[in-house]
């Protein structure tokens, strides 16, 4: 520090600001032999500059240790944990609360980054404000396919879905010369096979999915029902989805869009359904076959297009979704100092 060791009454100088790691400088304390020209004895105040002769002076720099806030981010866990205050160079303890988070196990570790790649070391002294993050490991579960020669699925992450496996097969059996054959009907979530398993449902625990079979013999032959569709009620063209047994689950297909008439496939309704709001079966949905043939009618949506507006610095304009062969509505737009001339396409053609 640049402080003169001697000075006289004509000297005037500012005292420097010293630094000390982990401390805030409060000021200089002066212990003087004499008084200043105003009769004041400065020893009870911090001294910033010398303009008068205090006589012999002893200067002592005073510091205050820094305090930091350490916050705990539970990364979606509960309960919330209050932040703590730590003095520079001291240690903090790991929170004692038991953290929980649906679908996750607490790793008992804390991290210095939100991505939880660098573990926080509680044996390291605190030297700044900081946030540390709770580490979690996602839970994993097993899915067992019962009553079928289908591979089980292990380590399914919490909240994930599983793909529907290929339909299994079951070998015929013979007892006393009587052969029994089996036809796979579908997958169910209960052993009694009364509730269809929904493969779009997130897995949140160990799960068993049950295969249901229909047995048939020469004395009890298999009866199949045809499932078909056509583009509209007046169409003479029909398309067969297949022949299926009563109770069999089928996955409804997606029909190609009608690009000629600018129609987009929406789903199916059952021909002859006169209810006020017929059920629309979307592509990929599960349909359980009854005890009769079924004709589906395709439900179409009109092709739609999105019109976006670049206001070039004017007021923001929301996009418009317009059906094919319909017109967009010209929006109003304001820009300070300008008058709107109209709307134009990218090639400069005026849009109307």
């Amino acid at each position: 520090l640049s402080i003169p060791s001697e000075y006289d009454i004509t000297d005037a100088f500012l005292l420097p600001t010293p630094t000390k790691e982990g401390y805030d400088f409060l000021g200089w304390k002066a212990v003087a032999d004499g008084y200043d020209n105003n009769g004041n004895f400065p020893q009870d105040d911090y001294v910033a500059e010398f303009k008068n002769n205090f006589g012999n002076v002893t200067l002592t720099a005073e510091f205050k240790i820094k305090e930091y806030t350490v916050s705990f981010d539970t990364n979606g866990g509960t309960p919330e944990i209050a932040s703590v205050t730590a003095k520079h160079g001291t240690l903090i303890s790991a929170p004692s609360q038991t953290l929980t988070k649906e679908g996750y196990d607490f790793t008992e570790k804390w991290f210095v980054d939100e991505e939880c790649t660098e573990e926080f070391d509680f044996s390291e002294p605190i030297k700044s404000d900081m946030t540390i993050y709770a580490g979690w490991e996602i839970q994993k579960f097993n899915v067992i396919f019962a009553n079928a020669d289908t591979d089980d699925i292990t380590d399914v992450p919490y909240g994930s879905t599983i793909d529907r496996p290929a339909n299994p097969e079951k070998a015929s059996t013979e007892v006393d010369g009587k052969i029994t054959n089996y036809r796979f009907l579908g997958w169910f979530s209960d052993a009694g096979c009364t509730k269809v398993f929904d493969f779009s449902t997130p897995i949140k625990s160990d799960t068993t999915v049950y295969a249901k079979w229909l047995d048939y013999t020469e004395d009890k032959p298999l009866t199949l029902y045809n499932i078909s569709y056509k583009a509209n009620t007046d169409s003479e063209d029909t398309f067969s989805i297949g022949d299926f047994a009563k109770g069999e689950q089928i996955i409804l297909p997606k029909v190609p869009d009608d690009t000629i008439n600018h129609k987009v496939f929406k789903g199916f309704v059952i021909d002859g359904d006169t209810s006020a709001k017929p059920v629309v079966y979307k592509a990929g949905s599960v349909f359980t076959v009854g005890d009769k043939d079924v004709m589906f009618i395709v439900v179409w949506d009109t092709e739609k297009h999105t019109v976006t507006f670049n206001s070039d610095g004017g007021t923001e304009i929301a996009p418009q979704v317009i059906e094919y062969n319909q017109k967009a509505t010209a929006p109003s737009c304001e820009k300070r100092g300008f008058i709107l001339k109209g709307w134009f396409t990218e090639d400069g053609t005026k849009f109307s």
Side-chain angles (χ1 to χ4, degrees), residues 1-248:
L1 296 177
S2 178
I3 301 177
S5 59
E6 296 180 353
Y7 72 100
D8 59 35
I9 198 170
T10 62
D11 290 330
F13 54 87
L14 294 175
L15 295 176
T17 300
T19 59
K20 183 179 180 181
E21 183 182 358
Y23 289 80
D24 292 320
F25 176 62
L26 299 179
W28 291 98
K29 280 288 188 177
V31 177
D33 291 344
Y35 296 86
D36 63 18
N37 290 341
N38 296 317
N40 297 318
F41 191 60
Q43 64 181 4
D44 293 329
D45 299 317
Y46 289 119
V47 178
E49 60 180 324
F50 275 78
K51 292 183 178 179
N52 302 294
N53 185 1
F54 296 125
N56 295 326
V57 176
T58 300
L59 295 174
T60 302
E62 289 197 355
F63 295 88
K64 179 182 178 181
I65 192 168
K66 290 183 177 181
E67 292 185 344
Y68 305 112
T69 299
V70 181
S71 302
F72 300 93
D73 189 326
T74 60
N75 263 334
T78 57
E80 293 185 357
I81 298 178
S83 60
V84 297
T85 300
K87 292 183 177 181
H88 178 86
T90 60
L91 305 179
I92 62 169
S93 300
S96 60
Q97 294 92 329
T98 300
L99 292 182
T100 60
K101 181 179 179 180
E102 184 177 353
Y104 291 80
D105 294 320
F106 181 46
T107 62
E108 305 293 337
K109 295 179 181 179
W110 293 86
F111 295 82
V112 299
D113 59 315
E114 194 169 0
E115 292 75 24
C116 295
T117 60
E118 182 181 349
E119 187 176 351
F120 175 76
D121 185 353
F122 283 93
S123 67
E124 286 291 322
I126 301 299
K127 295 184 179 181
S128 64
D129 291 330
M130 65 187 312
T131 299
I132 58 177
Y133 302 86
W136 298 94
E137 183 176 355
I138 193 167
Q139 295 171 350
K140 295 180 179 179
F141 303 100
N142 299 324
V143 178
I144 297 173
F145 294 99
N147 305 332
D149 187 19
T150 300
D151 292 336
D152 299 333
I153 303 176
T154 59
D155 295 334
V156 179
Y158 173 90
S160 300
T161 59
I162 60 173
D163 294 331
R164 186 186 188 94
N167 288 350
E169 296 181 353
K170 186 176 181 179
S172 301
T173 59
E174 182 177 353
V175 178
D176 298 330
K178 182 179 179 180
I179 297 176
T180 301
N181 300 298
Y182 301 92
R183 186 177 180 94
F184 176 69
L185 296 183
W187 297 105
F188 292 80
S189 58
D190 61 314
C193 295
T194 61
K195 185 178 179 182
V196 175
F197 180 77
D198 185 356
F199 282 88
S200 67
T201 300
I203 300 298
K204 295 184 178 181
S205 62
D206 289 333
T207 302
T208 300
V209 185
Y210 300 86
K212 184 176 182 179
W213 301 92
L214 174 66
D215 60 277
Y216 59 97
T217 64
E218 184 178 352
D219 298 333
K220 187 179 69 173
L222 179 66
T223 302
L224 299 178
Y225 302 93
N226 182 256
I227 309 298
S228 303
Y229 71 89
K230 54 185 180 179
N232 54 68
T233 55
D234 299 328
S235 175
E236 296 182 357
D237 296 327
T238 62
F239 303 88
S240 177
I241 297 174
D243 296 319
F244 306 94
K246 179 182 177 181
E248 187 168 352

